[in-house]
Amino acid sequence: MSGPSKYIPQSGFEKWLDKRLPIIRFANDTLIDFPTPKNLNYWWTFGGILAIFLILQILTGIVLAMHYVAHVDFAFASIAHIMRDVNYGWLLRNMHMVGASFFFFAVYVHIFRGLYYGSYKEPREVLWGLGVIIFLLMVMTAFMGYVLPWGQMSFWAAKVITNLIGGIPFIGETIVTWLWGGFSVGQPTLNRFYSLHYLLPFVILGVVILHVWALHVPGNNNPTGVEVQDVEKETVPFHPYYTVKDGFAIVVFLMVYAWFVFYGPDLLGHPDNYIPANPQVTPAHIVPEWYFLPFYAILRAIDFDIFIIPAKFGGLAAMLGSILILLAVPWLDTSKIKSMRYRPWGRIAWFVFLANFILLGVCGFMPAEPPWTYIAKAATFVYFAYFLIVLPALGVIESPDMPPKSIADSIHPKADKSGAGNPVNVVVK
Amino acid sequence: MSDTSLNSTHEDGPTRRDMIHVATGAMMVGGGAMVAWPLVHQMNPAADTLAMASIEFDLATVPEGSQVKVMWRGSPVFIRHRTAAEIEQANKDDTATLRDPEANANRTKQADGSDGKAQYLIMEASCTHAGCIPVGVGENGYLGAFGGWFCPCHGSHYDTAGRIRQGPAPLNLIVPKYVYLSDTVVKIGV
Ligand code: HEM
Ligand code: FES
């Protein structure tokens, strides 16, 4: 939380600089002194993990760009050149490719953590909204990155997804031709996707800085969802307490990542992408990367017209809506209690939502035929129902447990005080 | 103390300063739009892309009952030499319930509106759902129910006139604009 800065410039240079550009003060206040609740668990380490992966993607990306050729005739061959001839090219490409998967895994954990502990609620709505924007930018970045190797899946994923934009009433076709820069996915498309794939991560970096800024005004939420009341008793400085805890989690996470980089770089990808792009042959079974499967399932689930909305546009709208709806969660969730720890029904709903999200992923992977088409429709309904029905209604009808009075209370419960984790069904309003 | 001449809401009505504010604002908006348009429009198809927008093809190379794919504007186009039975079926289906109603006779018209040739069905090989290449009848993987084309991606069925009959695709397969240059040579893209 932003309070008076505790930074005292030591050397003469620091004093001189502090009067001109207090950048050391800023770094100190965000990374060293920043008061952090004592009770954060390991689900809070994924923010740090995400920061590491953004840096990893940018570093490996910049060096890949030194060898990659964004041309329909050479792109595929340039990837083979990176894999076989460039010194450590195989390592750098595997790091980038597997890095994208782990980046998404971490962001999903991070988002579901926020949903469980109510981290989107007042006063963190802006923080949450910036996170959703980062996620959207990540989706665009990864989608365009996947096109670059110019394999069969690259080409057909690009074609299918851009074609769906053509479903937007009236202006769709114009937008698609504009995106392609031609009459189908081709050289102009690859070239501009490369340009944007290079650009967007830096836009993400910018929004991440805003995200961290918005975190440092209200400070961290914590597993109890009760705000810090006594900074002295309930927080510790970020360094060394959380630099070490985050660092430990980062190392463990990187170990799993390294296993994939070295032993299973293609386990998470699709073999068809090692066939050069061929605009004359559609692969038998087009699937996106695993991290897009739940949203792909929602896209395909709408294969019927809804009144005057044609199926093609309906699918696109549902897919975008399934991400954009996250922006509204702070206002859709009516419960005064932040943490699902103290919401018996909310907690069950959250687990159902998580299981349903994984089920959507399975649906996205399976061919679009019964019974999967029906399961996908039901799961799409459950996805939206969580936000539009369950969260708004539960806040009114659920009687939550009593959260502890304070973080300090939850750490050192006092026997004489009521509350302190006692399930005494009192409606807190 | 603010000088009244600096104040834009002058009691005697608009001042010369207001005029300058409005004019400057208008120039900035207009100038901004003029700079933005080239930045947006550069992404539209370039002149050389547009220049390659037509091809010529000799239909005599397609035997009856078969189909070829030719590349046009970076994507394949179906040229199907239909059998008499297929044409008859297509005519019969004119009265079926069609999602995108269009008579078979209109599916082989030239760009100028005159009749083409009923036996040569020329269509973009791109499913109107999301752009996969449909599988033609007789080809490997054909599962269609209407004797024409079947899209494996999400299961759209097209009939012998390339009309959508079942599945998520909203429209019939697109007939590109073409004209016959001679009895057998067709120019696609006009
Ligand atoms: C948000 C961060 C990023 C994500 C999620 C991401 C994701 C991806 C993905 C999924 C691929 C396809 C991997 C494959 O199948 O081969 C890719 C390829 C590529 N990316 Fe990125 N990327 C990111 C940042 C960057 C940056 C900052 C650059 C350049 C400065 C870059 C340059 C490249 C290049 C040159 C390729 C083609 C080589 C290859 O496919 O391995 N990326 N990216
Ligand atoms: S692309 Fe043909 S059915 Fe979806």
Side-chain angles (χ1 to χ4, degrees):
Chain A
M1 41 220 69
S2 52
S5 172
K6 291 204 199 99
Y7 170 70
I8 300 160
Q10 298 296 329
S11 66
F13 173 72
E14 279 177 68
K15 285 182 190 137
W16 181 86
L17 189 63
D18 199 50
K19 288 220 180 69
R20 289 161 179 84
L21 177 71
I23 189 167
I24 304 179
R25 175 180 301 278
F26 175 76
N28 182 81
D29 294 349
T30 29
L31 289 171
I32 299 184
D33 284 346
F34 182 60
T36 314
K38 279 180 177 175
N39 57 338
L40 300 189
N41 55 32
Y42 272 104
W43 300 116
W44 260 263
T45 61
F46 280 82
I49 290 173
L50 284 163
I52 295 293
F53 271 87
L54 179 59
I55 294 166
L56 260 178
Q57 288 304 99
I58 290 180
L59 283 183
T60 52
I62 288 175
V63 292
L64 284 172
M66 296 181 185
H67 307 278
Y68 170 77
V69 183
H71 190 285
V72 289
D73 294 333
F74 306 114
F76 191 83
S78 78
I79 299 291
H81 163 72
I82 290 171
M83 294 298 284
R84 296 173 189 184
D85 304 332
V86 175
N87 301 327
Y88 288 111
W90 58 271
L91 176 64
L92 297 165
R93 189 211 174 203
N94 285 353
M95 283 176 75
H96 197 77
M97 199 170 69
V98 178
S101 273
F102 274 71
F103 201 175
F104 272 94
F105 178 77
V107 87
Y108 284 131
V109 174
H110 197 63
I111 293 173
F112 275 89
R113 185 281 319 258
L115 287 172
Y116 189 85
Y117 293 109
S119 300
Y120 46 83
K121 289 190 190 179
E122 199 217 325
R124 296 184 183 81
E125 302 93 327
V126 172
L127 172 60
W128 172 262
L130 288 165
V132 178
I133 291 170
I134 293 171
F135 178 63
L136 268 174
L137 289 167
M138 277 176 67
V139 169
M140 291 195 257
T141 308
F143 168 67
M144 292 196 268
Y146 191 63
V147 176
L148 301 184
W150 210 242
Q152 270 292 65
M153 279 299 165
S154 298
F155 181 87
W156 287 98
K159 180 139 193 200
V160 165
I161 297 298
T162 50
N163 250 307
L164 286 163
I165 297 172
I168 299 174
F170 311 117
I171 50 169
E173 293 301 327
T174 316
I175 296 182
V176 172
T177 308
W178 177 76
L179 271 181
W180 287 344
F183 304 105
S184 68
V185 173
Q187 176 59 34
T189 326
L190 175 61
N191 227 148
R192 65 192 50 181
F193 277 18
Y194 183 42
S195 168
L196 295 173
H197 184 69
Y198 207 134
L199 169 71
L200 285 187
F202 295 92
V203 178
I204 294 178
L205 188 63
V207 185
V208 167
I209 291 171
L210 294 181
H211 189 71
V212 173
W213 186 7
L215 166 67
H216 283 240
V217 178
N220 287 97
N221 184 26
N222 65 81
T224 65
V226 180
E227 296 295 327
V228 171
Q229 288 149 26
D230 182 338
V231 175
E232 281 304 308
K233 268 209 281 186
E234 296 171 348
T235 71
V236 286
F238 189 76
H239 179 73
Y241 293 95
Y242 283 103
T243 42
V244 169
K245 183 164 183 161
D246 281 0
F248 176 69
I250 289 167
V251 168
V252 172
F253 198 75
L254 285 179
M255 280 166 65
V256 183
Y257 164 66
W259 187 88
F260 275 90
V261 168
F262 289 107
Y263 298 105
D266 292 316
L267 283 180
L268 300 167
H270 199 289
D272 272 18
N273 222 24
Y274 286 97
I275 304 170
N278 182 353
Q280 303 204 50
V281 179
T282 309
H285 184 191
I286 297 182
V287 278
E289 293 287 85
W290 70 265
Y291 40 81
F292 290 148
L293 288 173
F295 300 105
Y296 189 60
I298 292 176
L299 171 94
R300 291 197 305 187
I302 313 297
D303 58 2
F304 48 90
D305 301 351
I306 307 168
F307 305 113
I308 54 159
I309 305 168
K312 188 169 161 179
F313 180 57
L316 182 73
M319 181 174 70
L320 287 178
S322 65
I323 298 179
L324 291 178
I325 200 168
L326 291 171
L327 289 172
V329 175
W331 296 276
L332 289 173
D333 185 349
T334 49
S335 175
K336 293 281 181 294
I337 305 292
K338 282 202 182 96
S339 174
M340 290 294 181
R341 268 192 190 174
Y342 312 104
R343 296 184 55 187
W345 288 104
R347 186 165 62 232
I348 293 169
W350 182 91
F351 277 105
V352 171
F353 178 71
L354 174 64
N356 182 69
F357 190 68
I358 295 168
L359 179 64
L360 273 171
V362 176
C363 293
F365 180 74
M366 294 317 226
E369 57 196 33
W372 294 104
T373 42
Y374 300 112
I375 300 175
K377 286 190 184 76
T380 300
F381 175 78
V382 172
Y383 182 95
F384 283 103
Y386 179 74
F387 295 115
L388 295 175
I389 301 172
V390 176
L391 283 185
L394 268 192
V396 180
I397 57 177
E398 180 182 47
S399 21
D401 302 342
M402 191 66 164
K405 290 223 159 52
S406 66
I407 296 174
D409 244 16
S410 79
I411 301 171
H412 316 287
K414 299 196 188 66
D416 53 342
K417 275 200 185 161
S418 72
N422 277 344
V424 278
N425 292 329
V426 184
V427 186
V428 182
K429 275 275 149 140
Chain B
M1 228 339 257
S2 65
D3 187 339
T4 42
S5 66
L6 286 174
N7 194 337
S8 55
T9 51
H10 200 272
E11 283 181 17
D12 307 334
T15 61
R16 292 171 58 179
R17 203 169 281 274
D18 292 334
M19 174 60 203
I20 292 172
H21 284 172
V22 171
T24 311
M27 279 303 286
M28 280 162 69
V29 171
M34 280 155 76
V35 173
W37 178 240
L39 290 173
V40 171
H41 193 46
Q42 53 84 20
M43 280 175 68
N44 273 316
D48 58 344
T49 309
L50 291 172
M52 292 194 306
S54 75
I55 54 161
E56 289 174 19
F57 184 76
D58 186 356
L59 295 165
T61 55
V62 191
E64 182 172 335
S66 72
Q67 103 177 3
V68 296
K69 286 180 218 159
V70 294
M71 292 302 280
W72 175 64
R73 292 171 159 191
S75 304
V77 169
F78 289 138
I79 298 182
R80 179 156 188 94
H81 190 162
R82 292 190 290 183
T83 61
E86 283 171 343
I87 299 172
E88 193 187 324
Q89 181 64 44
N91 282 328
K92 238 193 272 162
D93 284 351
D94 281 356
T95 53
T97 40
L98 299 171
R99 181 175 301 165
D100 180 13
E102 194 179 7
N104 175 46
N106 287 336
R107 302 279 299 157
T108 49
K109 283 230 158 80
Q110 300 189 54
D112 57 10
S114 63
D115 284 334
K117 294 177 195 299
Q119 67 271 39
Y120 293 118
L121 186 58
I122 303 175
M123 301 179 304
E124 291 181 21
S126 173
C127 178
T128 58
H129 178 231
C132 292
I133 300 176
V135 178
V137 63
E139 283 182 330
N140 219 351
Y142 177 82
L143 296 171
F146 298 90
W149 285 265
F150 170 74
C151 181
C153 286
H154 318 96
S156 287
H157 301 244
Y158 298 90
D159 66 14
T160 53
R163 288 173 298 201
I164 179 68
R165 301 297 293 273
Q166 190 183 315
L171 300 173
N172 302 336
L173 291 175
I174 309 278
V175 176
K177 288 197 175 7
Y178 62 83
V179 286
Y180 283 93
L181 299 179
S182 73
D183 208 28
T184 58
V185 176
V186 68
K187 180 180 176 194
I188 302 173
V190 284

